[in-house]
Amino acid sequence: MEKILNRADVPVEQTWDLTPIYPNEEAFETDFSRIETLAKDFVDAYAGHLKDAKTVNTALKAYSDIQELAERLFAYSDLQVEADTSNKENIARAARTGSRMAKIYEKLAFFAIELAHLDDAVLEEASQQAPDHARFLGKIQKNKAHYLSAETEAALAAMAPTLDSPYQIYNDIKNADTCFPSFEAHGKTYAMTYNAFENRYESDPDHTVRHTAADLFYAELARHKNGTASAYNARVQQEKIEADLRGYDSVFDYLLAEQEVPRALYDRQIDIIMERLAPIMQKYATLIGRVHGIDRMTTYDLKLELDPNVSSEISYAEAADFIKDGLSILGDDYVAMLDRAFDERWIDYAENRGKSTGAFCADVYSVHPYVLSSFNYHINEVATLAHELGHAGQNILTAKHQPFLNKEMSMYAVESPSTTNELIMENYLLKKAGDDKRQHRWVLSQMVSQTYYHNFVTHLLEAAYQREVYRIVEQGGSVDADSLTAIYREVLSRFWGDAVEIKDGSALTWMRQPHYYMGLYSYTYSAGLTIGTQMALRLMKGEPGVVDQWRAFLSAGDSVDPIGLAAIAGVDITTDKPLKDTIDYIGSIVDELVSLTDELEK
């Protein structure tokens, strides 16, 4: 049986190096004491004293410094938990960090409220004196009506660890309480973890292995469905209550306000994909069944590769070389960033027990980004690493060109840099395939099964499900395990139609993602990939000036709203054309896959 390593047994070169954040616990504690002092001094200096533009800008600089230090402290604490959720020392440190930081944010709660209640003329003068502060102050003015009293805001800040408990409960159930037994297939024993299922067994070409693993996986999830549903219901009820308290027309408006996206763009993204992409993906599912000789496709078969025999193993070093070569079109300094990421251990790619599932990139503005993944040593992992390094590249360029207060790109567009990188790498692999039709088909299938399936199907179905949950909550209702399962099954059935049988386990997919605890995040993957597709196609054509245009997008951070940001990339998201063009492009890939399969089967 393949052994899953404990974190302590993982070779150090496969782990990230957190010492650039803090070399040791002593340095971490020293900075924690410093931020507590800075917060106290900030209150003494500015609470009740924000009278003029000069003071506002001086306060904003001090506030930015505190927030930058807070990010660093949280990163040191949280990243250790992500790498090993079973380590009690890591968990205790994260809990202490959350508790201590809540007291700091309680102290700082007055600041936004006092800014919001200043005369607009003062804020406009402050913006003119310090243009780097204009965007932050503009959002304060825009959201003025939704701030609560200073006392209430302070109380909410103090209660942050408790208000965040639904997400913590979800993680505890997922990473601590969920325990998968091993399983047997064809006389061989397989070790099961969340990452093992998602990275290998879910797409295993052997029907017995794939279905046995899925049945076991979802049976274990089902044992925890009621607790998980209670945690999620608590989260959405909390969001609805806060939306009402802050005077938003609906919970949707509250959650979309931070993204600065109107409700119409959110609904459009879901509705058009559910309508226009569904028949294309049904055709793709039918093609998978045809190639693999499956009479009746099920949701357990959808992650099958079109031709798994073409997928080759690849070392981590080889993947790094591929990525640096493929993304070299973005500039020498971009490749230099990639060199640093691989050489300086920005990436934690080991698979170990207790490690968080999936992959992500965490930005530490004053240090550098960190990437978590579980590298599976197959060439399809190149796209995953390129995806997360797309976030890293955007973080680095934004840090170079934007102040800390302008660093957070809107959630609506945040997946654009990552998905663009995926498409660049896949087009790079297409070129390497040359005239080999089977290799060409394999790369195209990766574009559909990895990049577009993950972002335009998996996360979009989550978004459609999530919208139904919030509709119930908006009407004063609540959800439980049975209703969540029924909602997810209905969304799957609506998308896949008669082409795919919905397995009972797949209706529990709502238990697998942390995105539901992050507001309206899931739909933004398809929004980001819509921008990313249009840009990647232009990059691969080598249009004059397009690299500079894309780098301007990557450097903009939160200096403009999502509509303005997309416009920098030459994409008009006020219309549905980019989305429909992207869906048509996916359709053209599926048509080409069918045509190539016809040729290869002659």
Side-chain angles (χ1 to χ4, degrees):
M1 181 173 68
E2 181 181 357
K3 184 180 180 182
I4 307 296
L5 297 177
N6 292 319
R7 182 68 179 182
D9 300 323
V10 171
V12 69
E13 64 270 16
Q14 297 182 17
T15 66
W16 48 29
D17 179 12
L18 300 182
T19 58
I21 306 178
Y22 289 110
N24 50 48
E25 293 289 322
E26 182 180 1
F28 172 73
E29 288 297 332
T30 297
D31 255 5
F32 227 129
S33 297
R34 183 162 73 92
I35 197 173
E36 289 167 338
T37 300
L38 288 173
K40 179 182 181 302
D41 292 346
F42 185 84
V43 174
D44 293 342
Y46 299 111
H49 302 299
L50 296 173
K51 307 295 185 184
D52 55 72
K54 182 178 179 181
T55 305
V56 167
N57 283 322
T58 304
L60 277 169
K61 177 63 173 69
Y63 180 78
S64 176
D65 291 343
I66 292 171
Q67 295 290 353
E68 187 174 333
L69 184 55
E71 179 185 73
R72 190 168 185 150
L73 290 162
F74 270 126
Y76 182 78
S77 172
D78 293 346
L79 292 179
Q80 295 188 71
V81 175
E82 298 287 358
D84 187 2
T85 60
S86 66
N87 186 301
K88 294 186 177 181
E89 182 180 345
N90 292 346
I91 294 171
R93 182 193 302 103
R96 290 194 304 272
T97 299
S99 179
R100 292 172 73 179
M101 289 303 299
K103 294 177 182 177
I104 290 170
Y105 287 132
E106 179 184 4
K107 290 183 172 70
L108 300 178
F110 79 92
F111 187 52
I113 300 164
E114 289 198 19
L115 285 176
H117 286 90
L118 287 173
D119 288 341
D120 287 347
V122 174
L123 297 181
E124 288 165 8
E125 183 182 353
S127 297
Q128 291 171 2
Q129 290 180 3
D132 280 350
H133 294 159
R135 173 78 170 136
F136 182 87
L137 292 173
K139 290 196 288 186
I140 290 285
Q141 289 175 288
K142 184 178 179 180
N143 295 316
K144 180 183 296 189
H146 301 295
Y147 285 110
L148 304 174
S149 69
E151 294 78 9
T152 305
E153 293 288 0
L156 288 172
M159 291 177 64
T162 301
L163 295 176
D164 288 340
S165 62
Y167 184 40
Q168 182 60 52
I169 292 168
Y170 164 78
N171 278 319
D172 287 343
I173 292 172
K174 179 177 181 179
N175 297 315
D177 294 344
T178 304
C179 185
F180 301 100
S182 57
F183 68 95
E184 289 192 3
H186 307 302
K188 181 179 177 180
T189 302
Y190 295 82
M192 173 72 90
T193 65
Y194 243 104
N195 281 320
F197 177 72
E198 293 184 343
N199 290 347
R200 293 196 296 278
Y201 306 141
E202 194 172 23
S203 57
D204 196 291
D206 186 287
H207 180 279
T208 301
V209 171
R210 189 172 65 257
H211 280 248
T212 302
D215 285 338
L216 183 148
F217 178 83
Y218 285 114
E220 175 60 16
L221 260 60
R223 293 201 315 115
H224 307 282
K225 65 180 183 180
N226 294 311
T228 304
S230 293
Y232 182 46
N233 184 60
R235 178 61 176 173
V236 296
Q237 297 296 338
Q238 171 198 317
E239 289 168 332
K240 171 58 178 169
I241 291 168
E242 188 163 349
D244 291 343
L245 288 174
R246 293 190 179 280
Y248 286 94
D249 291 337
S250 73
V251 67
F252 292 100
D253 294 318
Y254 164 61
L255 294 172
L256 289 169
E258 185 179 1
Q259 298 179 22
E260 297 182 275
V261 171
R263 174 76 182 272
L265 266 67
Y266 164 75
D267 285 328
R268 183 183 72 193
Q269 201 71 24
I270 297 173
D271 292 337
I272 289 179
I273 294 176
M274 288 293 289
E275 176 189 353
R276 294 174 67 110
L277 183 64
I280 293 171
M281 293 308 299
Q282 290 169 22
K283 180 188 290 188
Y284 179 70
T286 301
L287 179 63
I288 293 174
R290 167 186 158 188
V291 170
H292 286 271
I294 300 172
D295 294 332
R296 179 61 172 155
M297 281 289 290
T298 76
T299 45
Y300 288 177
D301 305 313
L302 289 170
K303 291 295 182 71
L304 271 172
E305 289 196 19
L306 200 59
D307 193 343
N309 294 322
V310 175
S311 178
S312 58
E313 292 191 357
I314 187 172
S315 70
Y316 181 70
E318 288 171 329
D321 288 341
F322 268 43
I323 290 170
K324 287 185 284 187
D325 193 21
L327 297 178
S328 62
I329 64 171
L330 298 180
D332 292 341
D333 61 337
Y334 199 96
V335 175
M337 180 276 295
L338 296 172
D339 278 328
R340 289 189 61 202
F342 288 109
D343 297 343
E344 298 176 15
R345 290 172 48 213
W346 297 8
I347 304 168
D348 194 296
Y349 66 92
E351 182 178 341
N352 58 261
R353 292 190 184 279
K355 188 170 185 175
S356 290
T357 60
F360 66 76
C361 178
D363 181 26
V364 189
Y365 182 87
S366 58
V367 185
H368 59 67
Y370 283 88
V371 168
L372 178 138
S373 74
S374 295
F375 191 72
N376 65 9
Y377 297 94
H378 283 82
I379 197 165
N380 58 15
E381 194 73 2
V382 168
T384 302
L385 278 177
H387 176 110
E388 300 307 335
L389 288 166
H391 290 303
Q394 183 260 315
N395 295 157
I396 291 292
L397 285 169
T398 296
K400 182 178 179 181
H401 293 92
Q402 301 296 334
F404 182 84
L405 292 179
N406 283 358
K407 84 181 190 75
E408 292 292 344
M409 179 180 284
S410 168
M411 189 184 290
Y412 182 87
V414 77
E415 293 298 335
S416 301
S418 52
T419 53
T420 299
N421 270 17
E422 283 193 56
L423 290 171
I424 291 172
M425 286 308 305
E426 285 157 350
N427 276 280
Y428 167 80
L429 293 175
L430 273 180
K431 288 184 178 179
K432 291 183 73 69
D435 295 329
D436 187 323
K437 290 183 179 180
R438 194 171 178 189
Q439 285 283 349
H440 193 83
R441 183 181 70 162
W442 181 83
V443 176
L444 288 176
S445 72
Q446 291 299 296
M447 294 174 72
V448 176
S449 66
Q450 299 295 320
T451 297
Y452 285 110
Y453 190 100
H454 183 70
N455 299 289
F456 256 73
V457 178
T458 299
H459 290 314
L460 193 281
L461 293 176
E462 292 168 359
Y465 147 83
Q466 192 179 32
R467 184 171 63 174
E468 296 308 311
V469 171
Y470 282 116
R471 282 173 171 168
I472 291 170
V473 171
E474 183 62 31
Q475 296 301 316
S478 62
V479 291
D480 58 18
D482 289 341
S483 60
L484 293 174
T485 302
I487 292 168
Y488 210 93
R489 176 182 284 279
E490 191 279 330
V491 169
L492 287 171
S493 298
R494 186 153 43 100
F495 187 84
W496 292 110
D498 295 333
V500 178
E501 176 189 336
I502 311 302
K503 300 286 284 186
D504 289 342
S506 298
L508 296 175
T509 301
W510 60 267
M511 298 180 65
R512 292 174 59 176
Q513 287 288 3
H515 299 106
Y516 311 132
Y517 299 83
M518 303 173 188
L520 298 177
Y521 183 20
S522 294
Y523 90 101
T524 67
Y525 279 86
S526 61
L529 185 51
T530 298
I531 298 171
T533 297
Q534 304 310 307
M535 180 51 65
L537 292 174
R538 294 175 60 206
L539 284 165
M540 297 314 299
K541 290 177 183 176
E543 289 184 16
V546 70
V547 172
D548 290 339
Q549 189 177 23
W550 184 235
R551 287 171 62 90
F553 176 96
L554 298 177
S555 303
D558 188 40
S559 62
V560 291
D561 64 22
I563 292 173
L565 187 64
I568 292 174
V571 181
D572 182 3
I573 61 171
T574 64
T575 75
D576 60 12
K577 186 177 186 303
L579 176 57
K580 289 181 176 178
D581 286 349
T582 299
I583 294 173
D584 289 345
Y585 177 63
I586 300 170
S588 71
I589 297 174
V590 172
D591 287 343
E592 188 173 356
L593 286 170
V594 172
S595 177
L596 282 168
T597 301
D598 290 342
E599 291 182 41
L600 289 168
E601 288 182 351
K602 285 180 180 177

